[in-house]
Amino acid sequence: MDMSTQTTATTQAASDGQRPNRREARRNEDMALAARAERWMATGLSTEPADRAGAEAGVRIAYALAGLPAPGRMLWLGSPAAGATAVAMLRTGLPGDPKVREALAAQGVHDLQLGRSVRPQVRTRPWAQARSALAERRGAVGFARHWAATARRPWQQLVDQLATPLRTRLTEQFGAVGGEFGRAQQDALLDVVYGQHDAAWLGAFDSDPDVDGLARVAASAGWWWAFEHVAILTERPRAVHRDNLGRLHHGDGPALSYPDGFGLHAWSGMPMPAEIAAELPTLTVARIRRESNAEMRRVMLEHFGFDRYLRESGAVETQSDRFGKLWRVELPGDEPLVMVEVLNATAEPDGTFRTYFLRVPPDTQTARHGVAWSFGLSSREYAPEQET
């Protein structure tokens, strides 16, 4: 073997040895990042009482990292709704909510100047700095991979499924108040820091000193507000009810509830007014028909049961074939409810055959078409030799 051949063989052997090592390192990193994401997910979903001392220490660190003196006062409220209301009361001087006024008075607050919002320095700038530093270290591809591993699922579960529906509901609730005070409540939501729900992205920058203060507050408390002279912090929820997709979902009380009594009712991720939630256990066909809001009617239908609604509402059988029966019932102000009744081809343990219903598009003409649609096929494509 000449020298060049020997050198090539040695280089190839070294390369072959490095590849498994790189793959093993990549697997180890992926596992570590996944574990980190799960830890922050747990933080974002925590229902433990706030660690007030830990949260206040985090606030002081966040202000110091922003080059600001610590706030002269730190106030605590029982929920994001109460926190936003307290901000509105202190900004406007209006009496606002009696319970919030009582909570402020218990902390010795009667007239207090918030000062300007320092959210841009305390929350926006550290986030941007941490993101820029990580992107510079890892490059565009490396950053995208790191973000996907540490933040994609927490963001979907905590921001999309929790923080956004909560904020939407509060915006609607404050809008219903109206006037100067309602606008002040809505404006307060522009300055909020998500606290524990910032766990959605903090896992991507777990050891970055720029976000140390934010991370400490997120690990200890709920939503909060940063002002020049005052920080307003809130408790974490005492209960979070979700479905198997992570959406807020509960048919017997609020899906998200806080220690001060504030709660967010939701069904399959759809926020709903408390008065409608209270009606769910006693729904009737007539009540569902009277509902003018199409989204709320769909919530009612899902809770009531589509098959039950068909049975009790006088649905019309429009077609049948060997694949099932096609049923249709009109819904006032909405598209009709069309479903295929199917007999399961597989027997239950007791030898009976279960009947179930598939909701299909309103233009479905045959049961075969409806069953095919449920598999993402056309009627011609759907020709099973044996049904299961």
Side-chain angles (χ1 to χ4, degrees):
M1 179 183 296
D2 60 28
M3 184 62 69
S4 62
T5 302
Q6 184 177 3
T7 300
T8 300
T10 302
T11 302
Q12 182 64 46
S15 176
D16 290 344
Q18 289 172 358
R19 286 195 191 101
N21 291 338
R22 284 199 295 269
R23 287 196 295 269
E24 183 66 24
R26 177 67 63 85
R27 279 195 297 270
N28 290 340
E29 182 184 24
D30 287 345
M31 291 174 63
L33 293 178
R36 184 195 300 183
E38 288 304 310
R39 287 197 303 272
W40 279 103
M41 271 280 291
T43 294
L45 295 171
S46 175
T47 56
E48 293 295 317
D51 173 5
R52 296 193 173 191
E56 292 179 8
V59 168
R60 286 189 285 270
I61 291 171
Y63 274 63
L65 289 171
L68 300 169
R73 291 294 305 272
M74 297 196 204
L75 306 176
W76 283 88
L77 281 303
S79 68
T85 300
V87 171
M89 291 168 62
L90 293 172
R91 273 178 167 167
T92 64
L94 294 172
D97 183 275
K99 289 184 178 180
V100 175
R101 189 164 62 250
E102 183 179 335
L104 292 174
Q107 298 174 73
V109 175
H110 300 281
D111 183 19
L112 189 64
Q113 295 298 312
L114 294 175
R116 61 189 171 86
S117 170
V118 294
R119 184 184 189 278
Q121 299 96 308
V122 170
R123 162 56 166 80
T124 307
R125 187 185 299 162
W127 147 261
Q129 290 171 337
R131 187 182 188 282
S132 177
L134 183 62
E136 184 175 348
R137 288 197 308 271
R138 290 185 170 263
V141 174
F143 176 83
R145 180 175 172 275
H146 180 91
W147 178 264
T150 55
R152 182 170 57 190
R153 183 167 174 267
W155 188 280
Q156 187 259 342
Q157 295 288 304
L158 300 177
V159 174
D160 295 345
Q161 307 280 40
L162 290 180
T164 297
L166 175 55
R167 185 167 181 153
T168 298
R169 184 63 188 141
L170 288 174
T171 299
E172 295 172 350
Q173 179 177 315
F174 298 154
V177 172
E180 179 186 359
F181 191 72
R183 288 192 298 273
Q185 287 176 300
Q186 289 182 315
D187 288 346
L189 295 176
L190 301 176
D191 292 319
V192 72
V193 183
Y194 281 153
Q196 72 176 119
H197 294 153
D198 273 337
W201 59 269
L202 281 165
F205 315 107
D206 201 39
S207 58
D208 194 309
D210 287 331
V211 298
D212 182 41
L214 293 171
R216 289 172 184 261
V217 181
S220 306
W223 291 15
W224 65 289
W225 284 260
F227 294 98
E228 188 177 6
H229 307 306
V230 180
I232 294 179
L233 300 102
T234 67
E235 286 286 340
R236 292 184 280 213
R238 65 182 180 187
V240 180
H241 299 277
R242 306 186 302 151
D243 64 13
N244 61 339
L245 299 178
R247 300 174 300 183
L248 288 170
H249 178 83
H250 199 40
D252 186 20
L256 190 65
S257 57
Y258 284 86
D260 64 356
F262 171 76
L264 173 64
H265 296 266
W267 183 269
S268 297
M270 174 65 69
M272 57 182 169
E275 56 269 21
I276 287 184
E279 290 187 81
L280 293 181
T282 58
L283 283 173
T284 64
V285 168
R287 174 63 187 93
I288 295 171
R289 282 176 172 163
R290 287 198 310 271
E291 178 55 46
S292 59
N293 183 296
E295 290 182 336
M296 290 302 99
R297 189 189 299 120
R298 292 187 183 108
V299 168
M300 291 177 171
L301 280 169
E302 188 172 331
H303 187 276
F304 191 78
F306 291 114
D307 54 343
R308 180 185 172 193
Y309 188 84
L310 287 178
R311 290 194 304 270
E312 297 184 16
S313 64
V316 176
E317 181 184 334
T318 60
Q319 189 271 340
S320 65
D321 53 38
R322 71 183 184 91
F323 296 94
K325 296 179 181 179
L326 191 67
W327 295 91
R328 181 186 182 96
V329 62
E330 301 298 325
L331 295 174
D334 201 355
E335 65 183 22
L337 174 64
V338 179
M339 302 193 78
V340 179
E341 179 183 348
V342 179
L343 186 66
N344 195 348
T346 302
E348 299 294 313
D350 62 0
T352 61
F353 292 86
R354 181 186 172 201
T355 297
Y356 59 98
F357 291 81
L358 306 172
R359 187 170 188 182
V360 295
D363 60 352
T364 302
Q365 299 298 312
T366 67
R368 176 176 180 171
H369 178 199
V371 176
W373 175 86
S374 73
F375 288 103
L377 302 172
S378 68
S379 295
R380 288 185 179 182
E381 292 171 321
Y382 183 68
E385 293 182 7
Q386 180 178 1
E387 296 175 66
T388 59

